[in-house]
């Protein structure tokens, strides 16, 4: 039983963390990104795909590259790519109860939008369980894993990093929280992933070779059931 009695702020990534990666929901978002670029620049699918992934690697998100190089309006992009069918995401009342029972504040910290987070949380049955949603707009469009974005988050919400825990499916996104003093939890998955997704950006299959990861689990609900908290 992992000891989380020191934790006052519980910080959760959204996609592939609050719902499992085998929902394959992000593949639909990924496809919408490509079609957005196809339509915006009148490109063939393969060329749009190349541009999408190049911006993702070079700028941290596809949106960041589109904004920097083409003046893309961020809300146009986010509204388009998050207009997806959420039916693969199942309601999870047990997880909702576990999160509700955690002592202290609960936050979502995502490179997506508030609207997308609200839609997903509503589908999961988590709509009323988070005090804050810190999205890419709140981050001034500087995505995880940039350390400045984590510093902006803790400053805005008065989070004491040594008394916080962060849950995330991409290992590199836990490096800055670890440096700041947070307890880090990697949500692992062996679900098939998008073939041309950069390896370092994929949900991790294990915590191997990641010294900045304190804990790892392939089941968030089971992990939260087992943690020891001040309220236990």
């Amino acid at each position: 039983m992992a000891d989380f009695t020191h934790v006052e702020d519980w910080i959760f990534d959204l996609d592939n963390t609050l719902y499992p990666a085998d929902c394959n929901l992000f593949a639909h978002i990924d496809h919408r990104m490509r079609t957005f670029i196809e339509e915006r620049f009148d490109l063939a699918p393969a060329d749009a795909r190349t541009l999408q992934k190049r911006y993702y690697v070079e700028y941290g998100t596809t949106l960041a590259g589109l904004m920097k190089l083409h003046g893309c309006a961020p809300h146009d992009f986010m509204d388009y790519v998050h207009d997806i069918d959420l039916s693969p995401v199942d309601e999870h009342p047990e997880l909702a109860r576990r999160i509700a029972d955690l002592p202290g504040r609960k936050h979502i910290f995502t490179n997506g939008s508030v609207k997308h987070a609200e839609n997903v949380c509503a589908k999961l049955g988590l709509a009323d369980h988070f005090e804050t949603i810190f999205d890419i707009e709140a981050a001034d469009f500087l995505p995880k894993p940039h350390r400045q974005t984590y510093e902006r988050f803790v400053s805005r919400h008065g989070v004491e990093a040594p008394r916080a825990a962060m849950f995330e499916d991409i290992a590199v996104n836990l490096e800055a929280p670890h440096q700041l003093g947070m307890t880090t939890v990697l949500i692992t998955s062996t679900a098939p992933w998008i073939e041309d997704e950069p390896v370092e950006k994929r949900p991790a299959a294990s915590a191997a070779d990641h010294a900045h990861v304190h804990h790892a689990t392939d089941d968030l609900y089971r992990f939260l059931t087992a943690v020891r908290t001040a309220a236990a």
Side-chain angles (χ1 to χ4, degrees), residues 26 30 49-50 52-62 170 172 193-204:
F26 196 78
D30 186 76
R49 187 70 173 173
T50 298
Q52 174 195 347
K53 293 304 175 182
R54 177 159 65 85
Y55 287 172
Y56 185 34
V57 171
E58 292 180 6
Y59 297 97
T61 60
T62 300
I170 297 175
V172 70
W193 194 239
I194 302 163
E195 248 179 57
D196 60 351
E197 196 74 358
V199 172
E200 68 276 11
K201 298 287 190 178
R202 301 181 188 187

Side-chain angles (χ1 to χ4, degrees), residues 106-127:
K106 277 80 78 172
H107 313 266
I108 290 175
F109 187 170
T110 176
N111 277 346
S113 67
V114 166
K115 182 179 179 181
H116 176 57
E118 290 175 341
N119 290 341
V120 170
C121 284
K123 192 70 168 59
L124 283 164
L126 297 174

